Amino acid sequence: MSKKEEFFNYISEGYKTKGDFITLGAAMLGEETVTDAFVKIPLKTINRHGLIAGATGTGKTKTLQVFAENLSEKGIPVLLMDVKGDLSGLAQPSPGHPKIDERHTKIGLPFEAKPFPVEILTISEQDGTRLRATVSEFGPVLLSRILDLSETQSGIVAILFKYCDDKKLPLLDLKDFKKVLQYATNEGKAELEEEYGRVSTSSTGAILRKVVEIEQQGGDLFFGERSFEIDDLVRLDDNGRGVISVLRLTDVQDKPKLFSTFMLQLLAEIYNTLPEQGDSGQPELVLFIDEAHLIFKEASKALMNQIESIVKLIRSKGVGVYFVTQNPKDIPADVLSQLGLKIQHALRAFTANDRKAIKLTAENYPDSEYYDTAEVLTQLGIGEALVSSLSEKGIPTPLARTMLRAPMSRMDILTSSELSTLIGNSKIAKKYNEEIDRESAYEILNKKIEQANKVEAEEKKREEKEKASRKRTSSSRRSTRMNPILKVVTSATFIRGVLGVLKKVIR
């Protein structure tokens, strides 16, 4: 048996699966692609999360595109975080190219160009179906962690949420929460302290500053109604294909706090909404987070712990989370250890630090008698990657240098007119793009303050009127006491004297 035949059997046996699967491409022996030596990922293990990593320009985004297409064809909905703005082309078929045909001939797979069902989403001012969530849905614990509050400040946030629950004050957007903070600091301070204990003015001021920071990064657009329903992320089209929701994030790269806030809330909402799935044959939803380092950038320790907990727990709901980034070290070790599938594109060794990073990266992959992993990492071509996944039994598969298949959809963005048409044809855009600003804590507290001010003004006016009346009476009495002529005229002696004279005259 030749080495090539031996390698073919090695890969075929290592990636053998009884259940349904998706095919990423074919394994390579050295520089040669071994036709039909398919690298297959069982649908059963896709909820075990994964990583797509590699230097800029090595094909990470196209790998993500291929993965999303194949999941959609299997009836699995997908959510893509499109930070660079180059994934909207999924809605249009590939124009094809001789190099694509050549690649697929080597792999041993036919190539078919086709579009996929795409929903364009946004959390900013960009066009698309708007994603929102209310402050109440975050809850005091999650909101405190996002704001990176101290234990004392977190306690005050819990008190404010309890107060709003007790007084039926809906917390929908950031202006509601800011109003409650201001009320607790000023007009309502005595009321809150009487019922819930002391509220420090310095603490409420610090919390308010943190809220303003989120607001300045665009949080005022994200917090509010109508809240996005998770059921609209797990839709199928009329042909039974999973809808690919593309969340446009090109304008939040410099707003890591907003991105972290959104991602954490979304993961928490998905976890709380979807039922336990158990040992299912395929996932309910798969999330791809491009430029994943933005989630962890400037994240507090509490926020990191929350993300790690959600990632560990959410797979039981049939949800797979895939991080796309340049280097595995961008992902915290505790999260990286949870990732069952790793697709590693080329890394570049320009400096001594780069070479150290490559050696560390190589240690994340199983040993192989066919590869020197650290060496191969610097030799991978565009559209090639080292792949390590889990079998249906949860056992790591052989490490495979893989020639990845080409996307069936367009490897470019939509034109402005194509994007407008796609958004205009959305079945849910009208539902979520309607602006709703119903009466909530902001309006209710403003009315309460206005009413209190009105009562106070009327009371002050009444007191001033009474004071003026008392002043006039007092002044009149003082005048009477101090006038000597009046005193004589009104004295008893004077009156008797006058009456005596009158009697004599009458006689």
Side-chain angles (χ1 to χ4, degrees):
M1 183 183 295
S2 68
K3 187 173 182 180
K4 184 176 178 180
E5 290 174 328
E6 181 183 298
F7 179 74
F8 178 87
N9 292 335
Y10 171 73
I11 293 296
S12 298
E13 182 65 26
Y15 284 90
K16 183 171 62 177
T17 174
K18 295 180 180 179
D20 207 353
F21 58 88
I22 63 173
T23 303
L24 292 180
M28 301 173 68
L29 182 60
E31 298 290 329
E32 182 185 359
T33 303
V34 181
T35 305
D36 296 338
F38 297 131
V39 175
K40 299 178 288 190
I41 311 301
L43 296 185
K44 185 176 181 179
T45 65
I46 286 177
N47 69 331
R48 300 294 293 271
H49 312 316
L51 171 73
I52 302 174
T56 300
T58 55
K60 297 189 302 297
T61 301
K62 301 312 169 220
T63 299
L64 186 161
Q65 193 169 340
V66 166
F67 212 146
E69 291 173 346
N70 283 272
L71 290 170
S72 176
E73 286 213 307
K74 296 294 183 180
I76 300 169
V78 175
L79 174 61
L80 304 178
M81 308 295 161
D82 190 9
V83 176
K84 297 189 295 290
D86 50 7
L87 290 170
S88 60
L90 280 156
Q92 292 291 330
S94 168
H97 195 278
K99 288 187 176 180
I100 292 178
D101 297 331
E102 181 184 348
R103 174 179 287 260
H104 274 253
T105 298
K106 289 180 179 179
I107 293 171
L109 287 173
F111 177 75
E112 181 184 1
K114 60 177 70 174
F116 289 84
V118 171
E119 182 74 44
I120 301 295
L121 308 177
T122 180
I123 61 171
S124 63
E125 295 179 342
Q126 291 183 309
D127 293 334
T129 301
R130 189 165 297 284
L131 287 178
R132 292 189 184 90
T134 65
V135 173
S136 291
E137 286 170 334
F138 268 70
V141 176
L142 189 54
L143 186 63
S144 296
R145 287 178 176 172
I146 288 164
L147 296 176
D148 193 18
L149 302 181
S150 67
E151 185 176 346
T152 300
Q153 293 163 354
S154 299
I156 289 175
V157 170
I159 286 174
L160 296 181
F161 268 76
K162 181 68 169 63
Y163 173 78
C164 290
D165 287 342
D166 292 345
K167 303 299 181 181
K168 304 295 188 291
L169 301 175
L171 285 173
L172 305 181
D173 50 29
L174 288 182
K175 77 174 189 293
D176 286 330
F177 189 62
K178 285 168 63 181
K179 191 65 185 180
V180 173
L181 275 169
Q182 292 164 352
Y183 182 75
T185 306
N186 301 302
E187 297 90 347
K189 185 175 175 65
E191 177 189 354
L192 263 80
E193 291 187 349
E194 182 180 350
E195 295 185 41
Y196 305 98
R198 184 175 177 273
V199 176
S200 167
T201 302
S202 60
S203 293
T204 55
I207 297 169
L208 184 59
R209 288 190 291 274
K210 294 291 183 69
V211 173
V212 170
E213 181 184 348
I214 288 284
E215 195 173 41
Q216 288 175 337
Q217 291 197 15
D220 55 331
L221 294 173
F222 173 60
F223 286 97
E225 292 186 308
R226 169 174 297 141
S227 296
F228 195 84
E229 297 172 9
I230 299 304
D231 287 345
D232 286 321
L233 283 180
V234 292
R235 293 180 295 136
L236 304 180
D237 73 353
D238 296 336
N239 298 315
R241 296 182 301 173
V243 172
I244 301 174
S245 299
V246 178
L247 178 59
R248 304 173 73 194
L249 295 167
T250 54
D251 56 349
V252 301
Q253 293 188 48
D254 58 342
K255 303 171 183 176
K257 185 79 76 173
L258 176 62
F259 189 46
S260 297
T261 297
F262 163 72
M263 274 308 308
L264 186 54
Q265 190 278 334
L266 180 65
L267 290 171
E269 189 68 16
I270 290 172
Y271 178 76
N272 291 328
T273 302
L274 295 181
E276 289 285 337
Q277 192 181 37
D279 191 18
S280 174
Q282 67 178 49
E284 289 293 312
L285 176 68
V286 179
L287 283 75
F288 290 89
I289 305 170
D290 200 3
E291 301 296 326
H293 65 277
L294 292 177
I295 292 183
F296 307 106
K297 185 180 180 181
E298 296 184 12
S300 66
K301 185 176 179 180
L303 184 57
M304 290 283 288
N305 291 339
Q306 188 74 13
I307 293 173
E308 290 166 11
S309 296
I310 290 292
V311 169
K312 290 176 183 177
L313 296 172
I314 202 169
R315 71 185 184 199
S316 68
K317 302 301 182 87
V319 178
V321 181
Y322 286 74
F323 299 95
V324 185
T325 189
Q326 291 195 18
N327 198 303
K329 69 180 182 180
D330 295 334
I331 310 299
D334 286 345
V335 174
L336 193 62
S337 66
Q338 300 294 314
L339 309 183
L341 171 62
K342 295 184 178 70
I343 303 174
Q344 179 66 60
H345 287 265
L347 293 174
R348 306 304 181 205
F350 298 120
T351 67
N353 285 336
D354 290 340
R355 288 191 289 274
K356 289 178 182 177
I358 288 171
K359 288 181 180 179
L360 289 173
T361 299
E363 292 175 1
N364 287 319
Y365 295 90
D367 294 330
S368 172
E369 61 181 288
Y370 294 97
Y371 308 115
D372 180 338
T373 306
E375 183 178 344
V376 172
L377 281 173
T378 63
Q379 298 174 346
L380 293 168
I382 296 173
E384 299 176 7
L386 284 174
V387 176
S388 173
S389 65
L390 296 175
S391 70
E392 289 174 320
K393 295 181 180 180
I395 301 170
T397 59
L399 182 65
R401 178 175 180 175
T402 306
M403 172 71 74
L404 297 161
R405 63 194 297 177
M408 294 176 274
S409 57
R410 183 192 294 175
M411 289 189 281
D412 199 358
I413 63 174
L414 299 181
T415 64
S416 296
S417 60
E418 287 172 335
L419 188 62
S420 296
T421 300
L422 180 62
I423 294 171
N425 292 335
S426 169
K427 294 182 179 180
I428 62 173
K430 186 177 180 181
K431 173 182 176 182
Y432 291 109
N433 289 356
E434 177 189 2
E435 290 192 9
I436 300 174
D437 190 15
R438 63 186 175 95
E439 186 176 69
S440 53
Y442 180 83
E443 290 80 12
I444 294 171
L445 287 177
N446 271 339
K447 287 182 180 178
K448 186 174 182 178
I449 293 169
E450 287 174 8
Q451 183 64 29
N453 289 340
K454 185 178 178 182
V455 170
E456 185 180 351
E458 289 176 352
E459 180 67 21
K460 188 175 180 181
K461 187 177 179 181
R462 184 182 64 78
E463 288 178 356
E464 288 177 350
K465 190 174 181 180
E466 289 180 355
K467 186 177 179 181
S469 177
R470 288 195 300 269
K471 188 175 180 180
R472 285 195 299 270
T473 303
S474 175
S475 177
S476 175
R477 289 174 179 170
R478 284 198 304 271
S479 297
T480 302
R481 287 195 302 268
M482 295 175 66
N483 190 328
I485 297 174
L486 189 59
K487 280 185 177 180
V488 172
V489 171
T490 56
S491 66
T493 307
F494 179 79
I495 292 172
R496 285 196 298 270
V498 170
L499 288 176
V501 170
L502 287 175
K503 285 180 182 179
K504 288 179 180 179
V505 172
I506 291 172
R507 288 196 189 108

